[in-house]
Amino acid sequence: MDAMVPKKILIVEDSILNAQITAAILKKYGYITEVVCTGEGALEKVRSSQCPDLVLMDIELGQGINGIDTARIIQSMRNIPVVFLTANASQRIMEQIRSVTAYGYVIKSTDRYALLSAVEMAIARWRTEKALQLYRCLVENALNEIYIFHIEAFNFIAVNRVARENLGYTMEELYNMT
């Protein structure tokens, strides 16, 4: 496991047995895990100073708020990757997962390597998105004009704020120009 990988994983699972099995697998590979049984419990942990680095979220949590709605609330509060755990991979469940900014899903009781792979890919994607946000912010707020264009077609891919203001065009207008 990469030393830079976030280590604290919150497992949101209403089945204590499933939660313990998942936690044991992750602990074996160096992750610190914490288990809560409800969506409300997950929200409490995310609001706290002991916020996890990743959430493994059961979709159907029994009583109270379900996993999909909990994930939406979490993502409105903090930028934390959520990987769904599900025993049901029906079309309806997959559409629900797609409706949230999910970092994938894992079928419950799957092979440990599939679980670890899903966790590692979610963390890698989260890191990449954070870096992309930083670079976008740096480019957009740079004091110099920055133009990024396709090397063969010469059409604009990105033009920062200073350049757009100087040219007097919106990004939508620039997309249609060379």
Side-chain angles (χ1 to χ4, degrees), residues 97-112:
I97 289 172
R98 278 189 219 102
S99 74
V100 180
T101 307
Y103 284 72
Y105 71 94
V106 177
I107 301 295
K108 289 182 186 181
S109 302
T110 191
D111 178 79
R112 80 175 61 183

Side-chain angles (χ1 to χ4, degrees):
M1 184 175 64
D2 186 327
M4 292 181 53
V5 171
K7 292 187 162 275
K8 191 171 185 183
I9 299 177
L10 178 64
I11 301 168
V12 186
E13 171 64 71
D14 60 341
S15 165
I16 298 300
L17 179 61
N18 283 341
Q20 288 174 340
I21 291 168
T22 302
I25 291 169
L26 293 170
K27 284 178 185 176
K28 182 177 178 183
Y29 289 90
Y31 292 98
I32 298 166
T33 62
E34 188 169 2
V35 175
V36 296
C37 298
T38 66
E40 292 82 2
L43 295 174
E44 188 177 309
K45 291 294 178 185
V46 169
R47 285 186 190 109
S48 77
S49 61
Q50 301 158 350
C51 185
D53 298 302
L54 181 132
V55 177
L56 281 174
M57 178 76 68
D58 185 10
I59 293 175
E60 296 168 349
L61 292 171
Q63 299 281 330
I65 187 169
N66 69 31
I68 299 288
D69 292 335
T70 302
R72 275 194 192 97
I73 296 168
I74 286 172
Q75 291 173 342
S76 72
M77 294 170 18
R78 296 197 181 210
N79 183 6
I80 300 172
V82 176
V83 175
F84 288 104
L85 294 169
T86 184
N88 179 356
S90 69
Q91 181 179 352
R92 180 183 65 83
I93 295 295
M94 293 301 111
E95 288 171 2
Q96 288 179 335
I97 289 172
R98 278 189 219 102
S99 74
V100 180
T101 307
Y103 284 72
Y105 71 94
V106 177
I107 301 295
K108 289 182 186 181
S109 302
T110 191
D111 178 79
R112 80 175 61 183
Y113 299 108
L115 173 64
L116 291 168
S117 178
V119 166
E120 290 167 3
M121 284 189 291
I123 291 168
R125 176 180 158 197
W126 178 81
R127 276 208 183 112
T128 301
E129 288 175 2
K130 293 285 285 182
L132 183 59
Q133 285 175 339
L134 173 64
Y135 288 118
R136 279 186 181 146
C137 183
L138 289 172
V139 168
E140 186 62 19
N141 295 310
L143 298 176
N144 294 323
E145 294 181 20
I146 298 175
Y147 303 87
I148 301 171
F149 59 92
H150 189 279
I151 197 160
E152 293 173 0
F154 293 109
N155 58 319
F156 292 106
I157 296 170
V159 178
N160 73 342
R161 179 187 46 81
V162 171
R164 290 190 312 269
E165 288 173 359
N166 185 39
L167 294 173
Y169 292 108
T170 67
M171 195 61 234
E172 292 74 28
E173 292 170 316
L174 288 168
Y175 281 138
N176 297 315
M177 298 179 176
T178 59

